[in-house]
């Protein structure tokens, strides 16, 4: 087995790994991307996609927004519903920013197409991934490719963008992990029905939280709070729509129903791992942190990490200046903890805790405050759109 050579070995062909490869290539830095799953799986794996203004700007600046600018749906606010009332928070008025609906699945498709069109090597369906010598000047990425051939790639740097269950974080010694598990999950559906709202609805309800999101003008994405450990088999389509109707109920407003194309249950957790660098191994995206989806931060945090890491690696590998690489973990974690706190805060404010009447009253008090106080609304809006200081 011969040893190959590249500047940056990237583990993971999700948004973080693919975007990092693209940004590095724009600056003349070569990379190899490896991915456990098939290309088809990566391009069909359903994920939400609410993009902060900064994420949209990053994709546009990188020349990746051709479809996004046509198919993306710009939203200027959200609705908060509680106690039988629905209130609108106008982000344009509050912070002069918007968010954009464009599914993570579509971003991955755009990135894969862009990398392959540029002649970039992406090895899909690999196995037996490992890294070694990451504390040396020549770390090595090893794996078995789809044809069964063992490969070894000597790198200047390895970027672990392989998600929560990947091998990269395990290669960092003395990891300190901060974690919060929540006693509920989200049951999410994709339904072939036009959205019943122009912007997202976050609904607080005694039976549990509900979210009405949007996928396209003809497809809706909706979520229900369910107990942790709940089995998807116990939720028929009829039961799902019955609960959605109840939690979104509002006089004069109708929730449209349609065929459910997909449904799945997602556990809820907050997780932050430190450090985000060991030697010449750098972590980005879900490999280093997970947030509950209530704050719509997961994808945006991955892009934020890469927007910091890419210029840091360019400065080091092309220009010989390691200072940005040295400070990457600290700078990334400031943003990570801000988003982690916001996601936790939104989650605590909106999800029902059965039998805890005191907590319910605190939630209602917080919701009334956010919808009645402009400074409180500004705080939510600047965190939601991504403009809050880290």
């Amino acid at each position: 087995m011969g040893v190959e050579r590249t500047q940056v070995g990237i583990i993971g062909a999700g948004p973080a790994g693919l975007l990092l490869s693209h940004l590095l290539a724009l600056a003349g830095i070569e990379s190899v991307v490896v991915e456990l799953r098939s290309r088809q799986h990566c391009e069909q794996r359903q994920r939400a996609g609410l993009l902060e203004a900064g994420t949209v700007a990053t994709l546009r600046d990188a020349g990746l927004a051709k479809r996004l600018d046509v198919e993306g749906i710009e939203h200027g606010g959200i609705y908060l519903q509680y106690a039988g009332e629905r209130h609108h928070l106008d982000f344009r008025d509050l912070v002069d920013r918007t968010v954009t609906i464009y599914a993570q699945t579509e971003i991955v498709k755009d990135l894969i197409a862009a990398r392959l069109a540029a002649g970039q090597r992406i090895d899909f369906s690999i196995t037996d991934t490992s890294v070694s010598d990451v504390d040396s000047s020549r770390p090595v990425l090893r794996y078995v490719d789809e044809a069964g051939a063992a490969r070894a790639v000597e790198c200047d740097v390895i970027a672990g963008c392989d998600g929560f269950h990947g091998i990269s974080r395990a290669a960092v010694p003395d990891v300190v992990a901060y974690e919060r598990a929540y006693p509920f999950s989200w049951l999410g559906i994709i339904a072939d029905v036009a959205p019943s709202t122009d912007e997202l609805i976050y609904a607080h309800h005694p039976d549990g939280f509900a979210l009405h999101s949007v996928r396209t003008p003809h497809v809706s994405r909706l979520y229900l709070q369910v107990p942790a450990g709940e089995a998807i088999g116990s939720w028929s389509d009829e039961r799902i729509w019955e609960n959605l109707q109840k939690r979104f109920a509002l006089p004069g407003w109708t929730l449209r129903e349609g065929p459910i194309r997909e449904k799945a249950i997602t556990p809820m957790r907050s997780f932050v791992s430190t450090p985000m660098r060991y030697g010449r191994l750098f972590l980005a995206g879900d490999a280093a942190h997970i947030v509950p989806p209530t704050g719509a931060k997961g994808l945006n945090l991955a892009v934020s990490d890469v927007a910091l890491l890419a210029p840091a690696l360019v400065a080091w590998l092309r220009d010989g200046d390691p200072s940005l690489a040295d400070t990457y973990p600290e700078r990334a974690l400031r943003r990570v903890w801000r988003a982690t706190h916001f996601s936790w805060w939104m989650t605590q404010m909106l999800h029902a805790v059965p039998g805890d009447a005191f907590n319910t009253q605190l939630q209602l008090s917080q919701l009334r405050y956010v919808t009645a106080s402009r400074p409180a609304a500004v705080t939510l809006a600047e965190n939601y759109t991504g403009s809050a200081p880290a």
Side-chain angles (χ1 to χ4, degrees), residues 85-160:
E85 300 177 351
R86 186 175 295 168
H87 302 262
H88 185 246
L89 297 186
D90 187 337
F91 295 160
R92 291 187 180 92
D93 173 58
L94 293 166
V95 293
D96 194 26
R97 294 169 75 91
T98 62
V99 294
T100 301
I101 304 296
Y102 188 68
Q104 178 174 317
T105 312
E106 304 308 313
I107 292 175
V108 169
K109 290 178 184 176
D110 294 342
L111 282 163
I112 289 175
R115 300 315 301 127
L116 294 180
Q120 170 64 42
R121 173 176 157 192
I122 307 174
D123 282 0
F124 292 102
S125 302
I126 67 165
T127 57
D128 299 326
T129 319
S130 66
V131 296
S132 62
D133 303 318
V134 295
D135 56 349
S136 75
S137 61
R138 288 290 185 270
V140 179
L141 168 63
R142 291 183 171 85
Y143 62 98
V144 176
D145 68 18
E146 188 173 12
R151 293 182 174 274
V153 184
E154 186 182 77
C155 313
D156 294 320
V157 165
I158 295 176

Side-chain angles (χ1 to χ4, degrees), residues 185-188 226-227 229-235 263-267:
S185 299
W186 273 17
L187 189 163
V226 299
E230 191 84 342
I232 192 64
S234 64
W235 284 83
K263 55 183 173 181
I265 291 179
T266 303

Side-chain angles (χ1 to χ4, degrees), residues 237-378:
D237 292 4
E238 294 74 17
R239 185 185 179 192
I240 291 171
W241 285 117
E242 178 184 351
N243 276 267
L244 287 168
Q245 291 285 1
K246 184 177 182 181
R247 298 184 196 184
F248 285 121
L250 199 70
W253 181 84
T254 301
L255 175 65
R256 302 186 187 102
E257 297 185 14
I260 294 177
R261 183 197 308 169
E262 297 181 23
K263 55 183 173 181
I265 291 179
T266 303
M268 302 277 281
R269 67 159 63 92
S270 298
F271 178 87
V272 179
S273 173
T274 62
M276 289 178 65
R277 175 190 179 182
Y278 174 65
R280 295 200 173 210
L281 171 63
F282 294 78
L283 303 183
D286 287 359
H289 42 72
I290 298 286
V291 290
T294 326
K297 291 294 164 227
L299 171 59
N300 293 293
L301 271 183
V303 172
S304 175
D305 285 351
V306 170
L308 293 174
L309 182 57
L313 295 182
V314 170
W316 188 14
L317 301 180
R318 189 187 67 187
D319 305 330
D321 180 2
S323 59
L324 287 178
D326 291 341
T327 59
Y328 163 74
E330 177 188 353
R331 291 181 293 121
L333 281 168
R334 282 202 298 267
R335 165 75 164 134
V336 167
W337 277 115
R338 175 85 302 274
T340 298
H341 178 267
F342 176 67
S343 299
W344 166 85
W345 177 77
M346 288 281 286
T347 301
Q348 294 293 109
M349 180 172 66
L350 289 163
H351 288 74
V353 179
D356 192 340
F358 182 79
N359 185 74
T360 299
Q361 293 303 316
L362 290 178
Q363 291 175 324
L364 292 172
S365 174
Q366 183 66 52
L367 286 161
R368 285 192 295 267
Y369 179 54
V370 168
T371 53
S373 164
R374 183 176 180 88
V378 167

